[in-house]
Amino acid sequence: GGQYQMFPWAIPTGVQQFAEATHSVYYQQQATGGRPDMKDWIGGYVFSRRQDFEDFFRNLAVQYNTVDKQGNLLCPGDQVETCTYDPTIPGTADDPEAAFHSDPFGQFIGPDNRRWIWVYLQDANRWIAADRDRNVATWVMMYGYTSDVLYGEDDGTGGFSAELPLKYFLNYYQTNGN
């Protein structure tokens, strides 16, 4: 998560190498000293359509019978097709579903009661969701992007430098299996 002491073109190679190594079948074998659990550090869920992104969380709401503060089901009728739950809606103090809606950084409590973050990369046309406690490295990259680019806390390095690690994550994660 800190600054890299190397040439700018070499910054993403650490993410690349980690993603490639942890998603290799050889790395995951206990006999070779691998740690299969580390595979999930760089990981997450990638969607090319918003509908698929929303349906992923709607499925979780139906599966877990999630209720808001007032005891109402997030997805009444237990059907994904009729569910209107959308984690991208900004949460407000008077919103009974505030925990299940996004804060300014795209973070929210999912219907499975896990901590999630989401990002839409417009130029890649990809929706990315990461579980904060499972996809730790991805979450750090996504939080850096949302805080710098979307929330406006850019330190002067520009949005491209925050977006670049996410693009490398996408390329390597999709190439090496998810």
Side-chain angles (χ1 to χ4, degrees), residues 71-162:
N72 300 320
L73 285 170
L74 285 182
C75 292
D78 288 338
Q79 293 187 15
V80 175
E81 296 79 23
T82 58
C83 182
T84 58
Y85 170 63
D86 182 357
T88 64
I89 295 172
T92 59
D94 60 344
D95 178 4
E97 296 177 11
F100 303 109
H101 290 155
S102 295
D103 69 7
F105 301 98
Q107 301 180 98
F108 64 98
I109 302 296
D112 54 354
N113 286 318
R114 297 189 63 84
R115 300 181 297 175
W116 290 88
I117 189 169
W118 68 273
V119 164
Y120 174 65
L121 286 179
Q122 187 171 2
D123 60 345
N125 191 32
R126 294 290 185 263
W127 294 84
I128 306 170
D131 181 333
R132 181 177 180 173
D133 300 310
R134 181 176 180 191
N135 313 122
V136 180
T138 305
W139 180 86
V140 168
M141 289 184 282
M142 291 173 72
Y143 186 76
Y145 176 79
T146 59
S147 64
D148 283 358
V149 177
L150 303 180
Y151 195 65
E153 293 183 352
D154 187 13
D155 57 2
T157 58
F160 181 73
S161 64

